[in-house]
Amino acid sequence: MPKTNEKVMRKPRADHILADGVDSVIEIISEIVDERDIGEHLGYRADAERLLTHFFDCLKPGYVGWHWAITVSRFPRSKRVTVSEIDILPGKKALLAPEWVPWEERLKPGDIGPSDTLPYRSSDDRLVLRRDTDMDSDEEPLARLRLLSDVGVAETRKRWSRQVRPRTKQVKAPASCASCGFLVSLESDLRNEFGVCANEWSNDDGRLVPVTYSCGAHSETDVKKDGSEWPITPPRVNELDLEVIEEPLEALAEKDE
């Protein structure tokens, strides 16, 4: 085989003095760590020449599944073990905090109140710059820099359809919101599918409704005017039971004065 100048990376050999110095390691770290928090020896790992890491079970309260990692070393031709570093590392069964996520990515719809402010997103696939659309400008009082993109419209359509679906299945009426004068139309790509109800007599006043929705408060519907099932008869007076009292006109005039 041809010779190469590449060095073969070999696993470092464990220094026998460091590997056998478990008791010395425990004696040294017990000056810093409570000896009751140090469990059984779990093994070691050779890191480099005269550099080795011992692992001990961690008995510290709240650190179930963790272990101590004690890195030790020694000088050449010296048998004295020196502790270089002490760490507590999690094992496979350790209870860990979830991976940190920026707060603006942890927010969910409904978490923001009237006094809160969302961080600005320069790259939001739900929005598109107005200059990149067919709309040159907004009519007053609107002055938007960005508008809903195709992605934003699709997500809104799906979300709104899911929100109004339970109500649309419960109502039956001959006419839909598409022909109701109380429907406030939307100025967007969603105007052919949704609107806002403006009838105070409707249970959906001020709420989003699909144009296919229907309720009993439609502006052009009416109910059939039927007579009462209990016809009202004119009252009858039994004149035989009436007592007629006659007084002179002079007496009535005196009472008026």
Side-chain angles (χ1 to χ4, degrees), residues 12-200:
R13 297 180 60 181
D15 186 278
H16 70 280
I17 296 179
L18 298 178
D20 296 339
V22 176
D23 294 337
S24 300
V25 172
I26 295 178
E27 183 180 353
I28 295 173
I29 66 175
S30 61
E31 299 178 2
I32 303 174
V33 180
D34 192 337
E35 193 172 348
R36 294 173 297 181
D37 295 338
I38 304 174
E40 65 176 315
H41 185 247
L42 302 177
Y44 59 81
R45 180 190 65 214
D47 300 317
E49 185 179 2
R50 293 185 297 276
L51 186 66
L52 183 142
T53 301
H54 284 281
F55 300 100
F56 298 86
D57 188 19
C58 181
L59 304 181
K60 191 177 181 65
Y63 287 84
V64 178
W66 292 63
H67 57 266
W68 294 100
I70 316 298
T71 302
V72 294
S73 62
R74 70 180 181 89
F75 292 106
R77 296 184 298 275
S78 174
K79 296 183 179 180
R80 182 181 178 183
V81 177
T82 302
V83 174
S84 301
E85 189 174 351
I86 302 176
D87 290 317
I88 303 180
L89 302 178
K92 294 182 178 180
K93 297 182 179 180
L95 180 62
L96 301 176
E99 184 178 355
W100 183 81
V101 180
W103 73 271
E104 62 268 20
E105 298 180 16
R106 297 196 305 267
L107 291 174
K108 296 181 180 179
D111 291 343
I112 300 298
S115 59
D116 298 323
T117 302
L118 280 174
Y120 177 77
R121 294 185 180 181
S122 58
S123 58
D124 193 333
D125 57 357
R126 299 171 301 170
L127 297 172
V128 62
L129 288 172
R130 190 185 62 193
R131 66 183 180 214
D132 296 334
T133 67
D134 297 334
M135 183 180 294
D136 297 332
S137 62
D138 268 332
E139 296 182 2
E140 293 185 357
L142 301 180
R144 297 169 293 178
L145 294 176
R146 296 188 290 179
L147 306 174
L148 279 176
S149 64
D150 293 339
V151 174
V153 171
E155 290 184 359
T156 302
R157 180 182 293 111
K158 182 178 180 180
R159 185 175 63 255
W160 285 1
S161 298
R162 185 171 59 250
Q163 292 175 0
V164 301
R165 188 178 298 120
R167 291 184 289 124
T168 57
K169 291 183 178 180
Q170 299 174 359
V171 181
K172 293 182 179 179
S176 67
C177 293
S179 59
C180 182
F182 293 109
L183 180 73
V184 178
S185 61
L186 304 178
E187 295 296 332
S188 71
D189 294 338
L190 298 166
R191 60 181 175 274
N192 294 329
E193 298 172 68
F194 300 96
V196 177
C197 179
N199 188 351
E200 62 178 330

